[in-house]
């Protein structure tokens, strides 16, 4: 989660963009694209989809940034766009058909938490690395078993570290809903990962 | 709710420090005494930690370049769209709706239900109709002067469809004749020279009239059957008298014989109208058959039938009273 200093920097860049500095938007993209891409990837489990949705998020942000009124922080606003874009994508029938197939190719791939179990030279990874990757895959699969609403809340809290208030702002619900969804999502994950975590 | 269930329901927010002080102390107190709830809390903390320790997946190195490329292409599309709708202050969803509505409207304007070739005013037909009209006016005028009736008028718009979607129009003018031997509703109207019909009894004809407007070809056949029955009843030597409305049945029978069918029929002041569907090549045959009737018929130009398999025809039987 961005701190106060980060928020002030974002605000300055947004104001610069609103005054006509197009370069300020590129600076905002560079500051946030990693987090947004990661969130999209964890929401969808596919690097190509994540790349597409992260770009879609920034395009929407670009189109709406002139009207940004600083009622929420820029990062919260960006998360809201990204979460909504992911939810919309997940509703597509075509996506549902491919949902359970994790991408094993693509430029970003699963990175360190991914599915590729080989080094670039073709040699197998050390045992610890293989175990870590398998563990990451299990967690990702457990996340993908959640509904889009539960997925968003638990990722925003446990992965991105957002406060309950910020999550409520992102998903457009009250605090009670955030608490109940988070509790339910953690319960489900606990059941799915029982053998691995304990 | 048992204390354990109540506590477990709030463990998630408790571990995030999102419960008030009073509730927190109550939960802590319970946890000290309950090993199962402590285990539950540990599990939830492990889940939260597992998600927190997931390594971030990095975006492609050329993410910004890809974004610039996509923004350029989408920006062009957006600008094109805005040029169309922004001057009217229409928002994006309405833009789409209005575009769809315009498309639907254009479709229905330019692609009517029954596609017909463009109708150009066939000058030959116009001339013919005008001549007929004038001749009819002069003849009927004379007749009218004798009988006190008025002559039917035929204009270009009566014969040639105004729009492509309108049916072709055939007009049959029934010559007014003095009743010969008939009484009441009987009148000598038309004579099919090839297959003369006989007079029918009022009751039988009344029954037939109730079946006005046969919906399909089979109904057209009923008219033919009825005529056969009429023949049997009336006998061969009777005068060629039919009731005025009998012409409608005769016309319908001719339509069926040339392979068409009567879709609808209705009556207007001084005229009966049959809406028929005939094969386009049958238009000529129908004209011949109608000419055999003792009525003045006006047909549309045959060129209008070109390039079409079937024609929708409106047959108007106009009677001057």
């Amino acid at each position: 989660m961005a701190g106060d200093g980060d928020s002030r920097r974002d605000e300055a860049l947004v104001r610069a963009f609103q005054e006509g500095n197009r370069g300020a938007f590129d600076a905002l993209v560079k500051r946030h694209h990693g987090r947004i891409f990661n969130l999209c990837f964890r929401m969808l489990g596919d690097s190509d989809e994540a790349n597409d949705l992260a770009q879609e998020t920034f395009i929407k942000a670009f189109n709406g940034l002139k009207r940004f009124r600083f009622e929420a922080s820029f990062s919260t606003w960006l998360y809201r766009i990204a979460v909504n874009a992911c939810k919309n994508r997940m509703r597509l029938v075509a996506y549902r058909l491919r949902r359970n197939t994790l991408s094993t190719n693509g430029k970003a791939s699963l990175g360190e938490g991914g599915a590729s179990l080989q080094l670039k030279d073709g040699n197998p990874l050390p045992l610890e690395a293989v175990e870590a990757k398998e563990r990451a895959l299990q967690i990702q699969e457990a996340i993908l078993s959640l509904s889009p609403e539960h997925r968003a809340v638990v990722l925003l809290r446990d992965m991105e570290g957002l406060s309950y208030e910020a999550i409520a702002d992102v998903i457009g619900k009250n605090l009670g809903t955030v608490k109940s969804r988070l509790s339910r999502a953690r319960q489900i994950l606990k059941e799915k990962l029982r053998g691995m975590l304990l | 709710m048992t204390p354990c269930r109540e506590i477990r329901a709030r463990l998630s927010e408790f571990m995030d420090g999102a419960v008030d002080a009073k509730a927190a102390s109550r939960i802590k107190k319970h946890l000290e005494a309950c090993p199962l709830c402590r285990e539950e809390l540990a599990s939830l903390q492990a889940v939260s930690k597992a998600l927190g320790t997931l390594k971030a997946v990095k975006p492609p190195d050329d993410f910004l370049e890809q974004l610039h490329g996509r923004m350029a292409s989408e920006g062009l599309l957006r600008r094109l769209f805005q040029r169309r709708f922004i001057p009217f202050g229409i928002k994006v969803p309405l833009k789409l709706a209005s575009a769809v509505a315009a498309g639907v409207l254009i479709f229905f304007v330019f692609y009517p239900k029954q596609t017909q070739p463009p109708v150009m005013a066939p000058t030959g037909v116009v001339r013919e109709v005008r001549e007929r009209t004038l001749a009819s006016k002069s003849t009927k005028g004379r007749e009218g002067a004798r009988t006190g009736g008025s002559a039917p008028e035929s204009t270009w718009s009566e014969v040639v469809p105004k729009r492509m979607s309108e049916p072709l129009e055939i007009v049959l003018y029934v010559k007014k004749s003095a009743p010969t031997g008939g009484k009441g509703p009987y009148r000598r109207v038309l004579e099919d020279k090839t297959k003369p019909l006989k007079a029918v009894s009022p009751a039988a004809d009344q029954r037939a009239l109730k079946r006005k407007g046969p919906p399909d070809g089979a109904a057209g056949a009923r008219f033919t059957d009825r005529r056969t029955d009429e023949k049997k009843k009336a006998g061969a030597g009777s005068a060629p008298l039919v009731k005025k409305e009998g012409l409608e049945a005769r016309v319908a029978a001719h339509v069926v014989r040339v392979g068409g069918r009567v879709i609808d029929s209705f009556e207007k002041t001084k005229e009966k109208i049959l809406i028929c569907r005939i094969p386009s090549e049958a238009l000529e045959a129908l004209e011949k058959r109608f000419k055999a009737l003792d009525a003045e018929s006006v047909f549309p130009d045959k060129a209008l039938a070109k390039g079409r398999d079937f024609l929708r025809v409106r047959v108007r039987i106009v009677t001057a009273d």
Side-chain angles (χ1 to χ4, degrees):
Chain A
M1 179 64 181
D4 282 350
D6 288 336
S7 292
R8 277 197 292 274
R9 176 75 183 137
D10 284 344
E11 193 177 321
L13 286 168
V14 171
R15 289 195 192 284
F17 175 80
Q18 288 177 336
E19 286 161 11
N21 181 1
R22 295 286 291 264
F25 182 74
D26 285 357
L28 284 167
V29 173
K30 282 177 187 167
R31 283 171 61 79
H32 293 279
H33 77 303
R35 267 196 291 251
I36 295 298
F37 180 89
N38 190 41
L39 176 67
C40 292
F41 176 80
R42 295 299 174 192
M43 285 283 286
L44 298 158
D46 185 287
S47 58
D48 291 334
E49 293 274 10
N51 192 34
D52 186 42
L53 282 170
Q55 288 188 13
E56 192 178 310
T57 300
F58 283 108
I59 290 170
K60 283 181 179 169
F62 179 84
N63 292 331
L65 204 53
K66 289 268 182 192
R67 298 186 298 276
F68 187 70
R69 294 283 172 261
F70 303 97
E71 288 161 359
S73 72
F74 175 75
S75 61
T76 301
W77 182 65
L78 208 55
Y79 277 131
R80 189 187 306 158
I81 297 172
V83 166
N84 286 336
C86 289
K87 282 184 185 172
N88 289 339
R89 183 63 59 91
M90 280 184 269
R91 288 192 190 107
L92 292 175
V93 177
Y95 171 72
R96 284 178 184 164
L97 290 172
R98 293 182 287 123
R99 185 176 66 177
N100 296 324
T101 310
L102 288 174
S103 171
T104 53
N105 52 19
K107 288 166 233 162
S109 79
L110 287 170
E112 291 109 84
S116 175
L117 301 178
Q118 285 190 333
L119 292 171
K120 283 179 182 174
D121 59 7
N123 292 327
L125 289 172
L127 186 61
E128 296 79 19
V130 171
E131 282 175 353
K133 281 193 178 293
E134 281 181 352
R135 183 183 156 92
L137 264 178
Q138 272 185 291
I139 295 170
Q140 182 63 44
E141 281 176 9
I143 292 168
L144 293 178
S145 71
L146 297 172
S147 71
E149 288 74 21
H150 289 117
R151 210 180 296 179
V153 170
V154 79
L155 286 174
L156 288 171
R157 175 65 197 165
D158 289 338
M159 196 179 73
E160 297 298 320
L162 265 65
S163 67
Y164 279 37
E165 289 77 12
I167 296 170
D169 203 6
V170 169
I171 66 169
K173 301 285 180 187
N174 59 33
L175 276 177
T177 305
V178 173
K179 286 177 183 177
S180 64
R181 281 187 186 175
L182 187 58
S183 176
R184 181 70 190 136
R186 283 170 171 166
Q187 285 289 339
I188 295 169
L189 289 177
K190 186 198 79 179
E191 295 301 322
K192 297 270 178 190
L193 301 171
R194 182 178 289 279
M196 191 191 83
L197 296 173
L198 298 175
Chain B
M1 192 181 279
T2 60
C4 280
R5 285 189 70 182
E6 192 184 341
I7 295 296
R8 285 179 192 184
R10 302 199 70 183
L11 280 179
S12 172
E13 52 186 305
F14 170 77
M15 75 181 205
D16 287 332
V19 290
D20 57 64
K22 191 178 169 188
S25 68
R26 196 161 65 89
I27 292 168
K28 273 180 193 170
K29 199 174 173 184
H30 178 84
L31 286 172
E32 284 168 8
C34 181
L36 289 175
C37 287
R38 278 204 304 274
E39 193 182 324
E40 175 75 9
L41 179 63
S43 300
L44 292 177
Q45 284 169 335
V47 167
S48 182
K49 192 180 169 190
L51 263 67
T53 53
L54 275 177
K55 289 187 178 173
V57 181
K58 289 176 184 166
D61 295 336
D62 60 346
F63 183 86
L64 195 59
E65 287 73 27
Q66 284 183 31
L67 181 65
H68 284 161
R70 195 164 153 184
M71 283 169 76
S73 60
E74 290 192 8
L76 180 68
L77 206 67
R78 188 183 165 86
R79 278 197 297 278
L80 281 173
F81 218 59
Q82 280 180 339
R83 263 182 215 170
R84 294 278 181 276
F85 295 100
I86 284 295
F88 305 104
I90 301 170
K91 290 184 178 177
V92 174
L94 280 180
K95 287 175 190 175
L96 188 65
S98 55
V100 170
V104 169
L105 195 65
I106 288 166
F107 178 83
F108 280 107
V109 167
F110 290 105
Y111 295 91
K113 198 175 173 183
Q114 188 177 3
T115 311
Q116 294 181 358
V119 178
M120 302 298 288
T123 51
V125 175
V126 176
R127 200 182 308 117
E128 188 186 350
V129 171
R130 281 182 183 157
E131 284 168 5
R132 280 172 185 272
T133 307
L134 288 173
S136 172
K137 271 184 182 176
S138 60
T139 311
K140 304 287 176 183
R142 282 196 296 276
E143 281 182 9
R146 284 198 302 272
T147 60
S150 62
E153 290 188 5
S154 171
T155 60
W156 153 250
S157 62
E158 286 177 312
V159 180
V160 177
K162 290 173 190 168
R163 287 174 48 203
M164 286 165 64
S165 57
E166 287 184 359
L168 298 179
E169 193 161 275
I170 298 170
V171 187
L172 288 175
Y173 291 113
V174 178
K175 286 181 181 174
K176 189 169 182 178
S177 304
T180 55
K183 281 183 181 178
Y186 286 95
R187 177 189 325 177
R188 187 167 187 275
V189 186
L190 295 168
E191 183 184 359
D192 184 339
K193 287 167 185 167
T194 53
K195 295 179 180 177
L197 291 183
K198 310 304 174 193
V200 293
S201 73
D205 209 82
Q206 202 64 37
R207 283 198 301 275
L209 282 174
K210 286 180 182 172
R211 298 185 307 198
K212 195 168 55 175
D216 52 20
R222 282 205 302 274
F223 282 92
T224 315
D225 294 339
R226 184 174 68 84
R227 197 181 60 175
T228 314
D229 295 342
E230 288 163 359
K231 268 185 184 178
K232 286 175 188 170
K233 284 179 188 171
S238 305
L241 291 176
V242 291
K243 198 180 169 186
K244 183 177 79 174
E245 290 81 356
L247 180 62
E248 186 186 347
R250 186 82 55 83
V251 168
H254 283 314
V255 168
V256 172
R257 280 198 202 107
V258 298
R261 64 189 178 94
V262 179
I263 298 166
D264 195 9
S265 75
F266 48 91
E267 200 166 342
K268 279 188 177 178
T269 315
K270 297 183 181 177
E271 65 183 61
K272 282 179 178 292
I273 296 171
L274 293 175
I275 306 294
C276 311
R277 189 168 182 267
I278 60 165
S280 55
E281 65 269 14
L283 186 62
E284 204 166 341
L286 197 65
E287 187 174 7
K288 280 179 187 170
R289 284 177 174 274
F290 280 3
K291 277 181 179 169
L293 297 169
D294 191 14
E296 187 184 357
S297 60
V298 181
F299 266 70
D301 191 358
K302 306 292 177 302
L304 297 176
K306 279 183 182 172
R308 294 158 62 184
D309 294 333
F310 285 92
L311 300 171
R312 198 156 172 260
V313 178
R314 178 165 55 209
V315 182
R316 292 177 54 201
I317 304 168
V318 182
T319 311
D321 292 322

